[in-house]
Each structure stands twice: as structure tokens, then as C-alpha cells.
């Protein structure tokens, strides 16, 4: 049993136990986790949820450490959750190693949780959504969700946060940064890190380049995505990022767009879960399990079309 009173009072052990429960794949744990989440739901949602993405080496952990320390000094409580797209088979977690964010992890006001193991419904980020709610109930008022800028995980993180920030290197060339147009469209801010030393001039030119690109992408609404520079190593430009997020929050609350964004995200999450649960049930059906290999072989041999095989299985 999870001690919800202790969790709500900010007890770390209770929070960690609750997260372990939510991450568990066992059916009876799922049911208990859902009861817990429902009990805590009235106490969630009061944080600002910030997604931070960027290619390996861009300075995510350095940035989050500096940013987190800044927030804690200002009286906030900060939870850092990681969504790690790497498979355990392919060399393990990129984000999970404990040497990252050492200073921040020693702070009383900080809670750092590496990615859960995978295999759950709802993609790699599913557990992170629920963990985020637990952290909110435990009184963390800034939730940072970190992910490596490769693949699907960015979309998943963007779809669970209020503000999605992409860290970039001083290097005005989209190809060099592996930046896809889709990621630019998701970003509420691009922050060019390592704007220090010899890179300062290049960082400013990069900022100009991306600001022009972002202005073209802007699609109305209360927020025009911004491009800023910072040096996580020298701790410059960090306070400005928090200031920017504050302005975003103010505008989003005043216009109602922040609440609308969260409502939209919940709807999308529900639809996604329904789709995955249906598929899981379908695949678990004994008749489907028996017929699928046989029909697949016939499709491969060109005897029937994929469409009619799918229709037969669904029938
Ligand atoms: P991550 O892989 O995105 O988490 O990146 P890290 O935070 O581990 O940083 C990668 C490397 O970049 C490390 O050697 C950092 O010391 C360095 N680094 C991070 N931020 C800055 C910065 O603002 N300026 C400079 N010059 N180096 C930085």
C-alpha cells in the first residue's frame, strides 16, 4: 500500500514507491496504480511541465542542472523525469546513468528519476505521464521531462508538456543538427547552448537563422516560439529561459490556451490507449494467434492481399 498522506507531504520514499507501482507491468499492480492515480488526481496539474530535448552532447544534463539549481534557489521544487528511446538491448539507458546532474540530485528540492524500463502500453512515455502526476501530487511545481532528440520520443514528450524546449548547438545548419521540420514545429523555444568562448558569434548567427525560420512557422495563437542563447556551463541565459516560460504560462493561462492544450493532450492519450488496448486484445485472441502466421505466409506468397488477410482476421 502507498501512503498517500506521506506522498502528498513530499516524502521521497512514498513517491519512489508509488512510481515503482505505476511502472510495474503486473496486472494487479496496474489496477492498484490506477486507483492511486485517481485518488491523487485532484491534487495534480498545478505544476508547469517543461519538455527538454536535444541531440546527445548538446548539454541537456548541464543545462538541466543549472536550470534546476536556479529554480530551487528561487524556492521551487523540481522533478526531472527522463524518457529514453534507447532499447535496453542496444546498450542500455542513455539518460539513466547516475553520474549526471550530481549537484542537482543532492538538493532537497530536487527529485530525479531515470527512464522506466519499457514494454508498457502507450509507448516509452506512457509511464512518464503517470509519474508526472505523482510528482505533482507530491508538491513538485516544476516538472522537467528530458529526452534525447532522436525519433519518436520527442513527439511523445511534446504531447505531455506545457512547454517544449529544444536545445541546439551553435551551428547554423539544419542538416548538421539533425533537426527535422517536425521538431521545429513542436518547439515553443529553441535554446542555443554553448554560447560562450569562441562560439559566441556563431551562436548569435545561429539564433538569427532559427528565429527567421521560426517566424515563418508561427501559426498564430498567443505564443510566438522564441529563439534564445545560453551557456549552461557558465550559467548564463538560464534565468532568461525561466523568465520566458513564466511569460508563456501567464499568456497561456490568461487566454485559456494552456488548459486547452492539456485537455487536448488528455484526449489524444485516451485515443492512443484505446487503440493499443484493442490491438493487444486482438493479438491475444487464440484464434488470431492461430490464424495470423498462416495468413501472413499466404500474403508473403502473394496468394491473398494484405487487406483481405486483415479483414479475415478481424472477422
Ligand atoms: P547531454 O548529452 O545533452 O546531456 O550533454 P552534457 O550536458 O553531458 O554535455 C556534453 C558536453 O558539453 C560536456 O562535456 C559538457 O561539459 C559540455 N557543455 C555543456 N554545456 C556547455 C556550455 O554551455 N558551454 C560549453 N562550452 N560546453 C558545454
Amino acid at each position: 500500500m502507498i501512503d498517500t498522506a506521506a506522498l502528498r507531504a513530499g516524502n521521497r520514499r512514498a513517491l519512489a514507491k508509488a512510481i515503482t507501482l505505476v511502472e510495474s507491468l503486473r496486472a494487479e499492480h496496474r489496477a492498484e496504480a490506477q486507483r492511486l492515480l485517481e485518488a491523487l488526481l485532484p491534487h495534480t496539474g498545478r505544476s508547469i511541465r517543461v519538455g527538454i530535448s536535444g541531440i546527445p552532447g548538446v548539454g541537456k544534463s548541464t543545462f538541466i542542472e543549472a536550470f534546476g539549481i536556479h529554480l530551487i534557489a528561487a524556492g521551487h521544487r523540481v522533478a526531472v523525469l527522463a524518457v529514453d528511446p534507447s532499447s535496453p538491448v542496444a546498450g542500455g539507458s542513455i539518460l539513466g546513468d547516475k553520474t549526471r546532474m550530481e549537484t542537482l540530485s543532492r538538493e532537497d528540492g530536487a527529485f530525479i528519476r531515470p527512464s522506466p524500463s519499457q514494454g508498457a502500453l502507450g509507448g516509452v512515455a506512457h509511464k512518464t505521464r503517470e509519474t508526472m502526476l505523482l510528482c505533482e501530487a507530491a508538491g513538485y511545481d516544476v516538472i522537467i521531462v528530458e529526452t534525447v532528440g532522436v525519433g519518436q520520443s520527442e513527439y511523445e514528450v511534446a504531447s505531455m508538456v506545457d512547454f517544449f524546449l529544444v536545445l541546439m548547438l551553435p551551428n547554423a545548419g539544419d542538416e548538421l543538427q539533425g533537426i527535422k521540420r517536425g521538431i521545429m514545429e513542436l518547439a515553443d523555444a529553441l535554446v542555443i547552448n554553448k554560447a560562450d568562448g569562441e562560439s559566441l558569434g556563431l551562436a548569435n548567427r545561429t539564433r538569427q537563422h532559427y528565429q527567421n525560420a521560426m517566424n515563418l512557422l508561427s501559426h498564430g495563437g498567443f505564443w510566438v516560439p522564441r529563439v534564445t542563447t545560453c551557456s549552461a556551463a557558465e550559467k548564463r541565459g538560464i534565468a532568461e529561459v525561466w523568465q520566458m516560460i513564466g511569460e508563456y504560462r501567464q499568456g497561456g493561462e490568461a487566454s485559456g490556451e494552456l488548459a486547452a492544450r492539456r485537455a487536448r493532450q488528455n484526449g489524444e492519450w485516451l485515443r492512443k490507449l484505446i487503440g493499443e488496448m484493442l490491438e493487444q486484445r486482438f493479438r491475444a485472441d487464440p484464434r488470431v494467434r492461430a490464424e495470423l502466421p498462416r495468413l501472413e505466409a499466404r500474403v508473403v506468397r502473394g496468394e491473398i492481399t494484405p487487406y483481405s488477410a486483415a479483414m479475415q482476421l478481424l472477422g
Side-chain angles (χ1 to χ4, degrees):
M1 271 312 273
I2 304 297
D3 184 346
T4 50
L7 187 150
R8 287 200 50 217
N11 181 297
R12 283 166 177 278
R13 264 182 59 81
L15 176 59
K17 266 180 80 175
I19 294 175
T20 303
L21 176 70
V22 152
E23 288 175 354
S24 168
L25 298 177
R26 288 172 52 186
E28 68 270 27
H29 289 168
R30 284 311 297 153
E32 192 186 341
Q34 293 310 309
R35 280 196 298 278
L36 173 69
L37 286 164
E38 268 162 25
L40 292 174
L41 220 45
H43 311 289
T44 64
R46 291 189 205 116
S47 77
I48 180 91
R49 304 164 178 171
V50 181
I52 296 182
S53 171
I55 58 172
V58 71
K60 288 180 298 301
S61 48
T62 312
F63 177 87
I64 292 171
E65 177 135 286
F67 188 59
I69 298 284
H70 174 78
L71 295 177
I72 285 168
H76 295 285
R77 295 184 66 213
V78 183
V80 182
L81 312 176
V83 172
D84 187 345
S86 74
S87 85
V89 188
S93 172
I94 306 173
L95 301 171
D97 70 84
K98 290 198 174 68
T99 56
R100 303 172 84 243
M101 301 178 218
E102 245 177 286
T103 317
L104 186 60
S105 65
R106 281 196 295 270
E107 290 285 336
D108 277 343
F111 182 84
I112 300 179
R113 183 86 180 183
S115 337
S117 58
Q118 295 167 32
L121 282 173
V124 292
H126 170 57
K127 300 294 184 178
T128 308
R129 286 178 195 262
E130 295 183 341
T131 299
M132 185 164 77
L133 298 175
L134 295 175
C135 291
E136 288 177 346
Y140 291 90
D141 64 329
V142 183
I143 314 282
I144 295 172
V145 186
E146 175 191 12
T147 192
V148 173
V150 287
Q152 189 61 26
S153 64
E154 283 174 311
Y155 292 90
E156 294 192 27
V157 170
S159 73
M160 71 169 88
V161 296
D162 301 318
F163 192 91
F164 188 64
L165 184 160
V166 180
L167 282 178
M168 300 184 67
L169 293 170
N171 201 333
D174 304 356
E175 338 55 65
L176 291 172
Q177 309 232 14
I179 287 290
K180 295 143 273 177
R181 194 187 161 90
I183 301 303
M184 300 265 294
E185 283 168 353
L186 293 177
D188 296 300
L190 300 180
V191 177
I192 296 145
N193 188 35
K194 307 197 188 185
D196 48 42
E198 287 179 359
S199 300
L200 203 51
L202 182 57
N204 285 323
R205 289 197 297 283
T206 308
R207 190 187 63 74
Q208 197 55 55
H209 170 83
Y210 281 111
Q211 188 65 66
N212 294 340
M214 292 298 262
N215 289 343
L216 292 176
L217 285 177
S218 175
H219 31 237
F222 79 100
W223 186 252
V224 179
R226 296 193 197 168
V227 187
T228 69
T229 58
C230 78
S231 169
E234 296 180 358
K235 301 178 175 53
R236 281 185 297 100
I238 304 294
E240 287 78 359
V241 170
W242 181 237
Q243 167 81 25
M244 166 172 68
I245 293 171
E247 287 171 29
Y248 172 89
R249 187 178 195 173
Q250 238 174 9
E253 281 172 356
S255 64
E257 283 187 54
L258 198 50
R261 178 168 171 160
R262 285 188 177 184
R264 203 166 51 240
Q265 290 172 342
N266 275 330
E268 282 167 14
W269 186 18
L270 170 66
R271 285 190 291 279
K272 189 170 169 185
L273 283 175
I274 291 173
E276 292 186 20
M277 284 175 184
L278 282 173
E279 175 160 356
Q280 201 180 49
R281 285 192 186 183
F282 169 74
R283 289 186 180 280
D285 186 289
R287 286 161 299 171
V288 171
R289 290 169 76 150
E291 281 298 296
L292 186 60
R294 196 182 62 78
L295 282 168
E296 191 165 333
R298 294 192 62 203
V299 168
V300 170
R301 286 197 299 270
E303 292 168 12
I304 53 170
T305 66
Y307 184 89
S308 68
M311 285 301 283
Q312 278 185 51
L313 284 167
L314 283 165

